[in-house]
Amino acid sequence: MSEGSWWRDGVVYQVYPRSFADANGDGIGDLAGIRSKLGYLADLGVSALWISPIYPSPMADFGYDVSDYRGIDPLFGDIAGMDALIADAHALGLKVILDFVPNHSSDEHPWFRESRRSRDSVFRDWYIWRDPAPDGGPPNNWLSNFGGSAWTFDPATAQYYLHLFLDRQPDLNWRNPVLREAMYESMRFWMRRGVDGFRVDVIYHVMKDAAFRDNPPNPAFREGIDADAHRFLPVHTADLPETQGIVAAMREVVDEFPDRVLIGEIYLPLERIVAYYGENLTGAHLPFNFLLIGTDWHAPTIAGLIRRYEAALPAGGWPNWVLGNHDKPRIASRVGAAQARVAAVLLLTLRGTPTMYYGDEIGMQDVPIPFAEVRDPFELNEPHKGLGRDPQRTPMRWFPREGAGFTRGTPWLRIGDDVGTCNVATQADDPESMLSLYKALLRLRRETPSLSRGDIRVLEASDAVLAYERSHEGERVVVLLNFTDQPADLPIPEPAGRVLVSTHAGVAEGALRAAEARIYRLV
Ligand code: GLC
């Protein structure tokens, strides 16, 4: 592989560490568990694992509240365990990407403890403190993404501090150069240990309006339905022009080390997502493209998304696609089990780096969590709006037995009822399983340059079927996807060639069967 090719040609797999594999029986996944499953990931055929935060944390937001950027939470293991995981992964040809959470720390981070102690603390300016409004209320109308004001009053020093997420996640002040350097040094700390890159949490939030102006009302806000945060448009709290300088600086840090990747988590409209490639591609290598997460499951709509995304990419910018993550309902629940197979073919045949979410390869569905068992602070803050993220974070299933082979203890979230069929061991033996389909697609993508690095051309989309072509140096592949649960005629003449993979067993020719997707190599 040439430099930089692993994150272009390869496939990223997201591991939510609490839920992947529990080696010590406490019901919560850990690094030793992940390490024991590296062989599985290598065999599955992915290129890199991105691990959601494993740093010391009070776990108010399950690790997205970091109290030490250079350690490992004892719940997950220790630094030696992380070193061993990296070494084992590398020996298997797998890259390791860590989550990096720069927008906020935990309120238990020593920096914040110092900061809140006194207005004169040298750490005061590492966070964002403001005087109360004249009426004693919060300094402005900014809202937390998890509901309520983004400001919490701290009586000790009679000022408010800013938190765009939980009050236990105070926002760091990225206008402070000393803070910035400390954060960059934390990134270097992990890269020196062999980490291959970062997925940067809410990178588009790091800068806020220097004048602290109110956000304007959102005319589309639906009371009682939308998350509270959508009451206002985040014009002064998200995607500020100054953010680009921070992204470019992070990229420079990443580029101090060979062959590393910078991925940005960005929930913004398409034209703003692509801005995070940066001027002359000096920003993120891969600003996450979440278009498939929010879309209607409809062939012409998805054809439109592909065309718009491809047209919006800057010259030389490498695309990427995502079907799901720990914050969004699972694909198999959004579109159903049959269409989840179509989605697998889509994800792994589009142009650009795919990121898979753990468990999607066995067709895991969201697991309903009774309110008494809810763990997600978002759901607890804004109950019964369907915002909770526990259902998509339930334990991975390895075997059809109690604990699903995930744990020998009591799992931190319940395991779904369908574990008898939706598990790795059962599906590994079934050539028609979702797991076998994913493996076949990953192998095909590895072995077929037109899929891993070729051009893409949308050929046609009928109401039911999307057709596109991938091509590279004379090799041509056509992908046909039936987005309906009815048989459907092809929108183009049947490609002259061989079917390499179909979602369905048996003869694959002519009209598509219900929810069938097919990949042809043209002769
Ligand atoms: C990101 C994470 C999410 C977390 C939030 C605050 O959106 O993906 O899980 O709650 O940031 O860190």
Side-chain angles (χ1 to χ4, degrees), residues 433-506:
S433 68
M434 184 66 136
L435 184 60
S436 297
L437 175 64
Y438 260 99
K439 272 195 190 174
L441 290 166
L442 284 159
R443 187 180 325 111
L444 183 65
R445 192 176 170 99
R446 258 195 327 275
E447 292 170 354
T448 314
S450 56
L451 288 178
S452 56
R453 53 174 69 172
D455 296 334
I456 187 165
R457 192 159 60 94
V458 175
L459 299 173
E460 199 60 61
S462 65
D463 218 37
V465 178
L466 168 62
Y468 50 82
E469 182 183 278
R470 304 289 317 276
S471 58
H472 184 73
E473 293 176 354
E475 177 189 83
R476 286 162 69 206
V477 165
V478 168
V479 182
L480 292 165
L481 308 128
N482 180 358
F483 284 81
T484 71
D485 292 337
Q486 301 293 325
D489 290 330
L490 306 186
I492 54 170
E494 179 154 20
R498 190 161 66 86
V499 174
L500 300 172
V501 168
S502 164
T503 45
H504 289 42

Side-chain angles (χ1 to χ4, degrees), residues 126-138:
W126 287 42
Y127 293 85
I128 300 173
W129 293 95
R130 302 290 285 171
D131 284 334
D135 69 355

Side-chain angles (χ1 to χ4, degrees), residues 106-348:
S106 160
D107 63 337
E108 290 183 29
H109 196 296
W111 299 341
F112 188 70
R113 291 193 177 172
E114 267 304 307
S115 184
R116 83 192 310 179
R117 211 172 40 80
S118 139
R119 291 195 188 199
D120 300 325
S121 160
V122 287
F123 287 97
R124 188 66 170 181
D125 191 44
W126 287 42
Y127 293 85
I128 300 173
W129 293 95
R130 302 290 285 171
D131 284 334
D135 69 355
N140 64 24
N141 73 355
W142 295 356
L143 294 178
S144 157
N145 283 298
F146 289 151
S149 174
W151 296 97
T152 289
F153 186 70
D154 201 36
T157 53
Q159 281 192 316
Y160 282 85
Y161 66 88
L162 180 71
H163 52 89
L164 291 185
F165 292 87
L166 299 176
D167 57 354
R168 302 208 49 198
Q169 295 170 294
D171 278 41
L172 288 158
N173 178 15
W174 277 81
R175 295 185 186 273
N176 179 336
V178 189
L179 170 277
R180 289 203 297 267
E181 199 39 55
M183 295 301 277
Y184 300 150
E185 200 45 36
S186 302
M187 297 173 84
R188 292 187 190 101
F189 172 88
W190 291 107
M191 288 190 286
R192 283 187 203 110
R193 304 194 92 88
V195 162
D196 298 287
F198 300 98
R199 171 270 190 191
V200 183
D201 191 60
V202 293
I203 198 166
Y204 62 113
H205 268 313
V206 291
M207 292 302 250
K208 293 92 189 172
D209 184 36
F212 294 91
R213 283 169 290 182
D214 276 354
N215 278 327
N218 172 9
F221 179 71
R222 297 164 304 171
E223 189 75 53
I225 298 174
D226 294 326
D228 192 40
H230 296 311
R231 224 170 261 286
F232 299 106
L233 299 170
V235 288
H236 298 306
T237 43
D239 194 27
L240 267 69
E242 301 96 302
T243 312
Q244 298 299 329
I246 303 293
V247 181
M250 283 184 187
R251 171 63 180 271
E252 277 182 29
V253 173
V254 164
D255 283 349
E256 290 169 17
F257 297 77
D259 220 15
R260 310 297 153 112
V261 70
L262 185 68
I263 303 175
E265 186 206 21
I266 300 155
Y267 285 98
L268 290 173
L270 169 59
E271 58 283 3
R272 295 307 307 156
I273 294 174
V274 295
Y276 283 74
Y277 285 99
E279 211 161 316
N280 302 317
L281 305 181
T282 53
H285 294 102
L286 302 173
F288 263 149
N289 159 16
F290 294 133
L291 293 175
L292 290 178
I293 287 184
T295 183
D296 290 340
W297 203 246
H298 185 212
T301 310
I302 292 177
L305 288 185
I306 299 169
R307 288 197 175 106
R308 284 201 295 126
Y309 180 59
E310 286 283 341
L313 286 170
W318 184 249
N320 74 90
W321 295 92
V322 183
L323 280 179
N325 58 40
H326 63 295
D327 295 324
K328 301 291 171 185
R330 283 189 181 270
I331 183 71
S333 293
R334 280 191 282 128
V335 301
Q339 287 296 325
R341 295 173 68 90
V342 175
V345 177
L346 178 72
L347 178 70
L348 293 174

